[in-house]
Amino acid sequence: MKALVYHGPNKKSWEEKPKPNITHPADAIVKIVKTTICGTDLHILKGDVPEVVDGRILGHEGVGVIEEVGASVGNFKKGDHVLISCITSCGKCSYCKQGMYSHCENGGWILGHLIDGTQAEYVRIPYADNSLYLIPPGADEEALVMLSDILPTGFECGVLNGQIKPGDTVAIVGSGPVGLAALLTAQFYSPAEIIMIDLDDNRLAVAKTFGATQTVNSRQENAIKVVMELTGNKGVDAAIEAVGIPATFELCEQIIAPGGRIANIGVHGKSAELHLETLWSRNISITTRLVDTVTVPMLLRTVQSHKLKPNQLITHHFKLSEVVKAYDTFQHADREKALKVIMTNQ
Amino acid sequence: MKALVYHGPNKKSWEEKPKPNITHPADAIVKIVKTTICGTDLHILKGDVPEVVDGRILGHEGVGVIEEVGASVGNFKKGDHVLISCITSCGKCSYCKQGMYSHCENGGWILGHLIDGTQAEYVRIPYADNSLYLIPPGADEEALVMLSDILPTGFECGVLNGQIKPGDTVAIVGSGPVGLAALLTAQFYSPAEIIMIDLDDNRLAVAKTFGATQTVNSRQENAIKVVMELTGNKGVDAAIEAVGIPATFELCEQIIAPGGRIANIGVHGKSAELHLETLWSRNISITTRLVDTVTVPMLLRTVQSHKLKPNQLITHHFKLSEVVKAYDTFQHADREKALKVIMTNQ
Amino acid sequence: MKALVYHGPNKKSWEEKPKPNITHPADAIVKIVKTTICGTDLHILKGDVPEVVDGRILGHEGVGVIEEVGASVGNFKKGDHVLISCITSCGKCSYCKQGMYSHCENGGWILGHLIDGTQAEYVRIPYADNSLYLIPPGADEEALVMLSDILPTGFECGVLNGQIKPGDTVAIVGSGPVGLAALLTAQFYSPAEIIMIDLDDNRLAVAKTFGATQTVNSRQENAIKVVMELTGNKGVDAAIEAVGIPATFELCEQIIAPGGRIANIGVHGKSAELHLETLWSRNISITTRLVDTVTVPMLLRTVQSHKLKPNQLITHHFKLSEVVKAYDTFQHADREKALKVIMTNQ
Amino acid sequence: MKALVYHGPNKKSWEEKPKPNITHPADAIVKIVKTTICGTDLHILKGDVPEVVDGRILGHEGVGVIEEVGASVGNFKKGDHVLISCITSCGKCSYCKQGMYSHCENGGWILGHLIDGTQAEYVRIPYADNSLYLIPPGADEEALVMLSDILPTGFECGVLNGQIKPGDTVAIVGSGPVGLAALLTAQFYSPAEIIMIDLDDNRLAVAKTFGATQTVNSRQENAIKVVMELTGNKGVDAAIEAVGIPATFELCEQIIAPGGRIANIGVHGKSAELHLETLWSRNISITTRLVDTVTVPMLLRTVQSHKLKPNQLITHHFKLSEVVKAYDTFQHADREKALKVIMTNQ
């Protein structure tokens, strides 16, 4: 089969690889129908994720069709259409039993990382019963690719941890794909205001069409000042960090209201300064989370009932065999006004 | 009447002051029976709390007897024995309605800070209906002085925010009075292990008698290493910070298990380093809180039912007129092996 | 002043009464601008609520303008526009401190019940600071009359107790004003399906325009069968009872899924049969609640942000002096296709 | 091997049966070390549970040693000492993913019910990874038999659903083994009062030694009157029903305080009368639950840390081959003063 293979920093190629086989009774082999590229894939390509070895097939998102299942798989059979979670869950370690699949002792984020991934014609999914989700008949399968990673990430790390409630004032710092996923799913809870903060006017314009009530270009305006004015000098009930650098996290510290919640989504490479000298008495919470994808069934129901329209996040389409071109587009997201790109295995 | 009056950094005196009067229909005048000294009072004396002006009567803890009530006070009458909360709550601003009395728009921590306090023969308590608690007949009133501040502080900021559950492994960093208050109230929830970390062997010995299952002198041992060994390299489910300096907060970051909670109690004067580069993916929460004293009724019930024995925290007794001597003892807590000192108005 | 006065079963008149005065420092006198009629008022008129004595002014809903405040009132001043809660809260008893205003030891539902009410030119509101809410400038005051009782009732007793979540399947039994209030506010949480069950096609048609995804006329169809078919034989995640008779409560028992919540709103006059022989093992919860109106601030924010449009519930308008005619319309709600009627004091 | 086999109502025998085999890759075969008898086993023997067919081996509790595991079992290996959960959980259906193992689509309560059980020398456990728990070295294995069913039942259905908090007043109706299990585990949360209600003085005396603060023999005293007197006429914060008949459930309705929780544990054969005419306005919750055994890991930690001493519930010991005699003792629990009986496979 063909697959996108990593060969060390800045080296990848679309090349022939052996089709995967069942190696454990809980495995399934899935024929990829559609897949996408994640910001994390770009990090890997830069060499930032040293666990990824030469020869690894990239990708941890996608939808497909079951090709074969191991002897203990009970939820799926050949021909079933399935959504692949970016998180592999064994369902039987202490973390999985608590719904913290991200820390699964036998899985977690392994696809396209520690084992071969989804940017390929076929992929082996360990613990298939707990790591795949049946796609309901008639669903828009392309839209569901957004449920592999980005939507549960925005929802679990940002919205659930931010405890968004009806009437809340929310700031989302970062209007990239993950920030926008938080924006879309925050609206499940009917907050009064969602203030979107970014450096890019185009992304802020997108946020406006996705339901942001206010946008702030923090290159042009003092974001703290604007938020304080909008909130009667109180700050926001929830601040969602969707960038991953100290400056944006520290901005959240400065705009949070007493009693508020700072929900971090960003993947950080450095420490940030925590201003306990002011925050110690402000009754706030700060949360971090690697997506567990435990809300995928809930998100599937919101898609089926048209409360969530994930295809809003899709801007570009390619054939799977054009994956290298797709990476180029995604790597120049600003120039290309790209959010998520879809690659179809034809 | 006599009162302990602040006269600028390092200056205080026990002197004559006018007896307070009712100035608002919601006020009560309380004759102090017993009061105590808080670490915060020492900070004020050092000049660290500039809002405290020359002439201010210090103190925000105590029990007493109602001397007089304003026209709208409904819960109390002359002669009632009452517990004074360190937090004044108006009961009618948006924060009070949410149980966040610490941020009361008309009160909060004002006693011995923005208005005259309890280290006096009489004190005026604004919003008496919401800021005093009736002492049940037969109660040990001296023990209840610990419910003015220290026990709700340890319980709300440490134990409730730390979400201690049966079977949990908990670390408390700091074995001073507040850390010990967290230790006592953490046991309401039957955690499996409570590891107490401090630099002082005497305080750790006290912690052991108060229910700590393990103690670590971090001057003599590598606390991280010890905690990791005790927890099978997982870290603790909850880490309670009860010191207020960067090093102890950062220690909590290093010993917290995935999915764990860091509950800050300490009053911090400086920022700490938040290691998001490791914590971003660990599904943790960090909380801060100024005590709301919203749990005082619950704590009163636990004292009445002998689940909590607050007088364990009391080590020294003085007459109220000996308050200067009492400060001296409390300021040399290590030398005196002092936890909390009680002063009785005789 | 003029007021609607109860004179025993089936007797009421619009007559002259003394204008109320401040009798306690926490009182306010409110000049009524707009008020409405509640189903409870009809129960009182039938003689079903014996605590209501001859001479009582009816009504517990409305908006108005502050005419005068007592000496301890701090949140309001003459001229402020206010929303009147149907529940009077003292803010200082143990129930109020827990947010259970309905059981306030000094208030609760007393307006138009134990003290004179709002269907009058003026009303005295005890504990004004905790029982009135400031109307933001520019708000549609008429719409806010719906926040006195009906919307918090549907929301707190039905939606919050029903723990509605994104993707949930919800049944609301009863499509009268309260059931519709639950329908409107359930949508704050983006459930996938809301099935509305009633005997009246007109009300079900209204429900459809208010956002119900399915309607069932249980006179014409077997509601259990329909719900089971719609839910793949599982039942609903939440069943909200908004009628108040045994048959509708027992219907909820039969359509609830394992793990589901039955949230009672209805005012019941008789016991119902609880089928523990089937329910004991089904992991369900049943809740009851008298509205606390603790969510009025949240609901105000949802109205201000256009997430909730309370005027959808208003079908008829009268002058306050036409209150007798307004009662006639409301008493024949089916014939008149009436939901809520507004009376304006001109 | 030898096993206790059901042969229709009132017929059982200790007889030769084939040793079980692995039939699915997720199975394990466990050699029983110790087992016990449940009240449910007596119901089966009376013929009350018609799904149990002639030839079925009884029993759903026990500890043992792994004899053999299927190809997909990852948590256990031959020789491991394990605790058997009374609930079989597949870990991969939608109920298991929500922690509602009792409603597992592939398991649930099947041992000694729909498949052969634990009153035998060997038992086959389906979905072993999710249905067995590793016994820590050095643990008192006999005590852990109480974690198969009775302790999680009392804890999950009674204590967790009853939301017991520090300072609460709790009534437990029924002082049999399950009520006593609730009594033991309620103390994890430091309630102020636990009032135990039963008809049997011996059981009440046991309850007293297990931590009940009050006992009421409802044959001799009016339980409602006593509870109301003890609670200042308020009622209890939580009422736990541990009998399973209408009278005891309805007693809970009469002693519950406003805002309280009624947590049903009892297995009911008939409906009860739900007095909505009084309860509709009292802000209460009623819960039902079939034990999920989802708290077994937490309970194991409380046993390891000596917060829970399950062997308090064990009164009698037999050899496994004396199982018929053990049933006789357990069937005459009153006469024998029996709580739980242990049978050891020697």
Side-chain angles (χ1 to χ4, degrees):
Chain A
M1 68 164 190
K2 289 283 195 171
L4 186 78
V5 182
Y6 173 74
H7 290 300
N10 302 310
K11 289 187 214 144
K12 62 179 182 297
S13 74
W14 175 249
E15 63 187 44
E16 194 66 28
K17 286 282 272 185
K19 192 178 153 186
N21 296 312
I22 298 287
T23 61
H24 181 280
D27 284 351
I29 304 301
V30 177
K31 182 179 185 202
I32 292 295
V33 173
K34 286 171 191 280
T35 183
T36 182
I37 306 170
C38 180
T40 308
D41 295 320
L42 303 185
H43 279 292
I44 294 172
L45 276 174
K46 280 196 215 143
D48 288 353
V49 189
E51 305 88 23
V52 181
V53 296
D54 183 355
R56 177 68 63 235
I57 300 174
L58 296 178
H60 51 264
E61 299 164 275
V63 295
V65 179
I66 297 280
E67 180 84 2
E68 188 185 353
V69 294
S72 76
V73 173
N75 289 354
F76 305 105
K77 61 177 189 309
K78 186 175 164 60
D80 283 348
H81 286 235
V82 292
L83 164 65
I84 300 166
S85 170
C86 67
I87 297 293
T88 300
S89 162
C90 75
K92 57 197 192 187
C93 71
S94 72
Y95 287 114
C96 284
K97 286 179 182 176
Q98 298 169 60
M100 222 167 106
Y101 306 162
S102 56
H103 288 69
C104 172
E105 290 169 7
N106 303 301
W109 172 43
I110 55 173
L111 283 177
H113 178 209
L114 307 181
I115 66 170
D116 285 336
T118 60
Q119 291 165 5
E121 292 181 312
Y122 294 91
V123 63
R124 180 180 69 88
I125 303 292
Y127 305 108
D129 278 337
N130 289 73
S131 308
L132 298 173
Y133 296 90
L134 195 66
I135 296 181
D140 172 359
E141 301 200 357
E142 182 171 299
L144 296 184
V145 175
M146 302 297 106
L147 269 64
S148 286
D149 180 345
I150 189 168
L151 281 165
T153 295
F155 183 53
E156 296 177 4
C157 309
V159 176
L160 289 185
N161 273 1
Q163 299 174 48
I164 310 302
K165 293 187 304 297
D168 270 2
T169 298
V170 180
I172 301 176
V173 184
S175 189
V178 166
L180 293 168
L183 170 60
L184 290 176
T185 54
Q187 295 172 69
F188 289 162
Y189 296 99
S190 309
E193 300 287 340
I194 309 181
I195 306 163
M196 209 77 189
I197 301 171
D198 201 284
L199 301 169
D200 180 315
D201 279 331
N202 174 53
R203 288 182 157 189
L204 290 172
V206 171
K208 209 73 193 254
T209 70
F210 281 22
T213 58
Q214 305 277 352
T215 58
V216 182
N217 186 321
S218 51
R219 204 191 293 285
Q220 294 155 19
E221 296 181 277
N222 178 330
I224 299 170
K225 194 156 161 281
V226 174
V227 169
M228 286 301 162
E229 277 167 17
L230 286 169
T231 59
N233 230 30
K234 274 205 162 177
V236 294
D237 299 306
I240 297 177
E241 204 282 348
V243 179
I245 60 172
T248 47
F249 187 86
E250 291 163 14
L251 172 58
C252 293
E253 296 181 31
Q254 291 179 281
I255 59 175
I256 195 74
R261 292 87 55 195
I262 298 175
N264 185 75
I265 313 179
V267 177
H268 290 259
K270 293 193 227 169
S271 63
E273 203 172 343
L274 183 63
H275 288 282
L276 286 170
E277 75 279 17
T278 53
L279 295 174
W280 75 270
S281 65
R282 288 174 72 79
N283 297 35
I284 64 149
S285 75
I286 297 169
T287 54
T288 69
R289 186 168 181 179
L290 176 57
V291 65
D292 294 301
T293 67
V294 69
T295 61
V296 169
M298 177 191 275
L299 290 170
L300 271 168
R301 290 192 294 271
T302 63
V303 174
Q304 286 301 97
S305 61
H306 311 293
K307 306 297 179 206
L308 179 63
K309 295 182 186 67
N311 47 17
Q312 293 180 272
L313 291 164
I314 301 170
T315 52
H316 291 72
H317 289 83
F318 299 90
K319 293 183 199 166
L320 180 54
S321 56
E322 299 170 318
V323 57
V324 172
K325 197 168 140 199
Y327 264 82
D328 183 67
T329 295
F330 190 64
Q331 273 164 320
H332 299 90
D334 285 7
R335 183 188 74 195
E336 304 283 343
K337 305 201 173 183
L339 296 172
K340 292 291 277 187
V341 305
I342 285 286
M343 295 167 291
T344 303
N345 186 13
Q346 290 173 312
Chain B
M1 70 167 187
K2 288 282 196 175
L4 186 78
V5 182
Y6 174 74
H7 290 300
N10 302 310
K11 292 188 210 142
K12 61 177 184 295
S13 76
W14 176 247
E15 64 187 43
E16 193 66 26
K17 287 281 271 183
K19 192 179 154 187
N21 297 312
I22 298 286
T23 61
H24 180 280
D27 283 352
I29 304 300
V30 177
K31 182 177 187 207
I32 292 294
V33 174
K34 286 172 190 278
T35 183
T36 184
I37 306 169
C38 181
T40 306
D41 296 320
L42 304 185
H43 279 291
I44 293 172
L45 276 173
K46 279 196 215 147
D48 289 352
V49 188
E51 307 87 24
V52 182
V53 296
D54 183 355
R56 176 68 62 236
I57 300 174
L58 296 178
H60 51 266
E61 299 165 276
V63 296
V65 178
I66 297 280
E67 180 83 2
E68 189 186 353
V69 295
S72 76
V73 172
N75 288 354
F76 306 105
K77 58 177 192 307
K78 186 174 162 62
D80 281 348
H81 286 234
V82 292
L83 165 64
I84 300 167
S85 170
C86 66
I87 297 292
T88 301
S89 162
C90 74
K92 56 196 192 187
C93 70
S94 72
Y95 287 115
C96 283
K97 286 179 183 175
Q98 297 168 63
M100 224 167 104
Y101 306 162
S102 57
H103 287 69
C104 173
E105 291 169 5
N106 304 301
W109 173 44
I110 56 173
L111 283 177
H113 177 211
L114 307 181
I115 67 171
D116 284 338
T118 60
Q119 291 165 7
E121 292 179 314
Y122 295 90
V123 64
R124 180 180 70 86
I125 302 292
Y127 306 106
D129 278 337
N130 289 73
S131 307
L132 297 172
Y133 296 88
L134 195 66
I135 296 182
D140 173 357
E141 300 199 359
E142 180 170 303
L144 296 186
V145 175
M146 303 297 109
L147 269 63
S148 287
D149 180 345
I150 188 169
L151 281 166
T153 295
F155 183 51
E156 296 177 6
C157 309
V159 176
L160 288 186
N161 272 1
Q163 300 173 46
I164 310 302
K165 293 187 305 299
D168 270 1
T169 298
V170 180
I172 300 177
V173 184
S175 189
V178 166
L180 292 168
L183 170 60
L184 289 175
T185 54
Q187 294 172 70
F188 289 160
Y189 298 98
S190 309
E193 299 287 341
I194 309 182
I195 305 163
M196 210 76 188
I197 302 170
D198 201 284
L199 300 168
D200 181 315
D201 278 333
N202 174 53
R203 288 182 156 190
L204 290 172
V206 172
K208 209 73 193 252
T209 71
F210 281 21
T213 57
Q214 305 277 350
T215 59
V216 181
N217 186 321
S218 49
R219 205 191 293 283
Q220 295 155 21
E221 294 180 278
N222 178 330
I224 299 169
K225 192 156 161 282
V226 175
V227 170
M228 287 300 162
E229 276 168 18
L230 285 169
T231 58
N233 229 32
K234 273 204 162 178
V236 293
D237 299 306
I240 297 177
E241 203 283 346
V243 179
I245 59 171
T248 47
F249 188 87
E250 292 162 16
L251 172 58
C252 292
E253 298 181 31
Q254 292 179 281
I255 60 175
I256 195 70
R261 292 87 53 193
I262 297 175
N264 186 77
I265 313 179
V267 177
H268 291 259
K270 292 193 227 171
S271 63
E273 202 171 346
L274 182 63
H275 288 283
L276 286 170
E277 75 278 17
T278 52
L279 296 175
W280 76 269
S281 66
R282 286 172 75 79
N283 298 35
I284 65 151
S285 76
I286 297 169
T287 54
T288 69
R289 187 168 181 178
L290 177 56
V291 65
D292 294 300
T293 66
V294 69
T295 61
V296 169
M298 178 191 274
L299 291 170
L300 271 168
R301 290 192 294 271
T302 62
V303 174
Q304 286 300 98
S305 61
H306 311 292
K307 304 297 178 207
L308 178 64
K309 297 184 184 65
N311 48 15
Q312 291 181 273
L313 292 164
I314 301 169
T315 53
H316 291 72
H317 290 83
F318 299 90
K319 294 183 200 166
L320 181 53
S321 56
E322 299 169 317
V323 57
V324 174
K325 196 168 143 201
Y327 264 82
D328 184 66
T329 296
F330 190 65
Q331 274 166 322
H332 300 90
D334 285 7
R335 182 189 73 194
E336 304 285 342
K337 303 199 176 184
L339 295 173
K340 292 291 279 185
V341 305
I342 286 285
M343 294 166 294
T344 304
N345 186 13
Q346 286 172 315
Chain C
M1 70 165 187
K2 289 282 196 171
L4 187 79
V5 182
Y6 175 73
H7 289 299
N10 301 310
K11 289 189 214 141
K12 63 177 180 301
S13 75
W14 176 248
E15 65 188 43
E16 194 64 28
K17 286 281 270 185
K19 193 179 152 186
N21 295 312
I22 298 287
T23 61
H24 181 278
D27 284 352
I29 305 301
V30 177
K31 180 174 186 208
I32 292 293
V33 172
K34 288 171 189 281
T35 182
T36 182
I37 307 170
C38 180
T40 307
D41 296 319
L42 303 185
H43 278 292
I44 293 171
L45 276 173
K46 279 196 214 144
D48 287 353
V49 187
E51 307 87 20
V52 181
V53 297
D54 184 354
R56 176 67 63 236
I57 300 174
L58 296 178
H60 51 266
E61 299 164 274
V63 294
V65 177
I66 297 280
E67 180 81 4
E68 190 186 352
V69 294
S72 76
V73 172
N75 288 354
F76 305 105
K77 61 178 188 308
K78 184 172 163 67
D80 282 348
H81 287 236
V82 291
L83 165 65
I84 301 166
S85 170
C86 67
I87 296 293
T88 299
S89 162
C90 74
K92 57 198 194 186
C93 71
S94 73
Y95 287 116
C96 283
K97 286 180 184 175
Q98 297 168 62
M100 224 169 104
Y101 306 162
S102 57
H103 288 70
C104 172
E105 290 170 5
N106 303 302
W109 173 44
I110 57 173
L111 283 179
H113 178 210
L114 306 180
I115 67 171
D116 285 337
T118 59
Q119 291 165 7
E121 292 180 311
Y122 294 90
V123 64
R124 181 180 69 87
I125 302 294
Y127 305 107
D129 277 336
N130 290 74
S131 307
L132 297 173
Y133 296 89
L134 194 67
I135 296 182
D140 172 359
E141 300 200 358
E142 181 170 300
L144 296 185
V145 176
M146 303 298 106
L147 268 63
S148 286
D149 180 345
I150 189 169
L151 281 167
T153 296
F155 182 53
E156 294 176 6
C157 310
V159 175
L160 289 186
N161 272 0
Q163 298 172 47
I164 309 303
K165 293 187 304 297
D168 270 3
T169 299
V170 180
I172 301 175
V173 184
S175 188
V178 167
L180 292 168
L183 170 60
L184 289 175
T185 54
Q187 294 170 71
F188 288 160
Y189 297 98
S190 309
E193 300 285 340
I194 309 181
I195 306 164
M196 208 78 188
I197 303 172
D198 201 286
L199 300 167
D200 181 314
D201 279 332
N202 175 53
R203 289 181 156 192
L204 291 172
V206 171
K208 209 71 193 253
T209 71
F210 281 22
T213 57
Q214 304 277 350
T215 60
V216 182
N217 186 322
S218 53
R219 204 189 294 286
Q220 293 154 22
E221 295 180 276
N222 179 328
I224 299 170
K225 195 158 159 281
V226 174
V227 170
M228 286 301 163
E229 278 168 17
L230 286 169
T231 58
N233 229 31
K234 273 206 164 177
V236 292
D237 299 305
I240 298 176
E241 205 282 345
V243 179
I245 60 172
T248 47
F249 187 86
E250 292 163 15
L251 171 57
C252 292
E253 297 181 30
Q254 292 179 283
I255 60 175
I256 196 72
R261 294 85 56 191
I262 297 176
N264 186 76
I265 313 179
V267 177
H268 291 260
K270 292 193 226 172
S271 64
E273 202 171 346
L274 183 63
H275 288 284
L276 286 170
E277 75 279 16
T278 53
L279 295 175
W280 76 268
S281 64
R282 287 173 74 77
N283 298 35
I284 64 150
S285 75
I286 297 169
T287 54
T288 69
R289 187 168 182 179
L290 178 55
V291 64
D292 294 301
T293 66
V294 69
T295 60
V296 169
M298 177 192 275
L299 290 170
L300 270 167
R301 288 192 295 270
T302 63
V303 174
Q304 286 300 97
S305 60
H306 311 293
K307 304 298 180 205
L308 179 63
K309 298 184 183 63
N311 48 14
Q312 292 181 276
L313 290 164
I314 301 170
T315 53
H316 291 71
H317 290 83
F318 297 91
K319 294 182 198 165
L320 181 54
S321 57
E322 297 171 320
V323 56
V324 173
K325 197 168 141 201
Y327 264 82
D328 184 66
T329 295
F330 190 64
Q331 274 166 323
H332 298 91
D334 284 9
R335 184 190 70 195
E336 304 284 342
K337 304 200 175 182
L339 295 172
K340 293 292 278 185
V341 305
I342 285 286
M343 296 167 294
T344 304
N345 186 14
Q346 290 172 311
Chain D
M1 67 166 190
K2 289 283 197 172
L4 187 78
V5 182
Y6 174 73
H7 290 300
N10 301 311
K11 289 186 212 143
K12 62 177 184 298
S13 75
W14 177 248
E15 64 188 44
E16 194 65 27
K17 286 281 271 184
K19 191 179 155 187
N21 296 311
I22 298 287
T23 62
H24 180 279
D27 285 352
I29 304 301
V30 177
K31 181 175 187 205
I32 292 294
V33 172
K34 286 173 190 277
T35 182
T36 183
I37 306 170
C38 180
T40 307
D41 295 321
L42 303 184
H43 279 291
I44 294 171
L45 276 172
K46 281 195 212 143
D48 288 352
V49 188
E51 307 87 21
V52 181
V53 297
D54 183 355
R56 175 69 61 236
I57 299 174
L58 296 177
H60 51 264
E61 298 163 277
V63 295
V65 178
I66 297 280
E67 181 81 4
E68 188 186 354
V69 295
S72 76
V73 172
N75 289 353
F76 306 105
K77 62 179 190 306
K78 185 172 164 64
D80 282 346
H81 287 235
V82 291
L83 164 64
I84 301 166
S85 169
C86 68
I87 297 293
T88 299
S89 162
C90 74
K92 57 195 193 189
C93 70
S94 71
Y95 287 115
C96 284
K97 286 180 184 174
Q98 296 169 61
M100 224 169 105
Y101 306 163
S102 57
H103 287 69
C104 171
E105 290 170 6
N106 304 302
W109 174 43
I110 57 173
L111 283 178
H113 177 209
L114 307 181
I115 66 170
D116 284 338
T118 59
Q119 291 165 6
E121 293 181 313
Y122 295 91
V123 63
R124 180 180 70 87
I125 302 293
Y127 305 106
D129 278 335
N130 289 74
S131 308
L132 298 172
Y133 296 89
L134 194 67
I135 296 181
D140 172 358
E141 301 200 358
E142 181 171 300
L144 296 185
V145 176
M146 302 296 107
L147 267 64
S148 287
D149 179 346
I150 189 169
L151 280 166
T153 295
F155 182 52
E156 295 177 6
C157 309
V159 175
L160 288 186
N161 273 0
Q163 299 172 47
I164 310 303
K165 293 186 305 297
D168 271 1
T169 299
V170 180
I172 301 176
V173 185
S175 188
V178 167
L180 292 168
L183 170 60
L184 289 175
T185 53
Q187 294 170 72
F188 289 160
Y189 297 98
S190 308
E193 299 286 341
I194 310 180
I195 307 164
M196 208 77 188
I197 303 171
D198 200 285
L199 301 168
D200 181 314
D201 279 333
N202 174 53
R203 288 181 157 192
L204 290 172
V206 172
K208 209 72 191 252
T209 70
F210 281 22
T213 57
Q214 305 277 350
T215 58
V216 182
N217 185 322
S218 52
R219 204 191 295 286
Q220 293 155 21
E221 294 180 277
N222 179 330
I224 299 170
K225 193 156 160 283
V226 174
V227 170
M228 286 300 162
E229 278 167 16
L230 286 170
T231 58
N233 230 32
K234 275 206 163 177
V236 293
D237 298 306
I240 297 176
E241 204 281 348
V243 179
I245 61 172
T248 47
F249 188 87
E250 291 162 15
L251 171 58
C252 292
E253 298 180 30
Q254 292 178 283
I255 60 176
I256 195 74
R261 292 87 53 191
I262 299 176
N264 185 77
I265 314 179
V267 176
H268 290 259
K270 291 194 230 174
S271 62
E273 203 171 344
L274 182 64
H275 288 283
L276 287 172
E277 74 280 16
T278 53
L279 295 175
W280 76 269
S281 64
R282 288 172 72 77
N283 298 34
I284 64 150
S285 76
I286 298 169
T287 53
T288 69
R289 188 168 180 178
L290 177 57
V291 65
D292 293 301
T293 66
V294 68
T295 60
V296 169
M298 176 192 276
L299 291 169
L300 270 167
R301 288 191 295 268
T302 62
V303 174
Q304 286 300 99
S305 59
H306 310 292
K307 306 297 178 203
L308 178 64
K309 297 182 183 65
N311 49 14
Q312 291 181 275
L313 292 163
I314 301 169
T315 53
H316 291 72
H317 290 83
F318 297 91
K319 294 181 197 167
L320 180 55
S321 57
E322 298 170 319
V323 57
V324 172
K325 197 168 143 201
Y327 264 82
D328 184 66
T329 296
F330 190 65
Q331 274 166 323
H332 299 90
D334 284 7
R335 184 189 72 196
E336 303 285 343
K337 305 201 173 181
L339 295 172
K340 293 291 280 184
V341 305
I342 286 286
M343 296 167 292
T344 302
N345 186 15
Q346 292 171 310

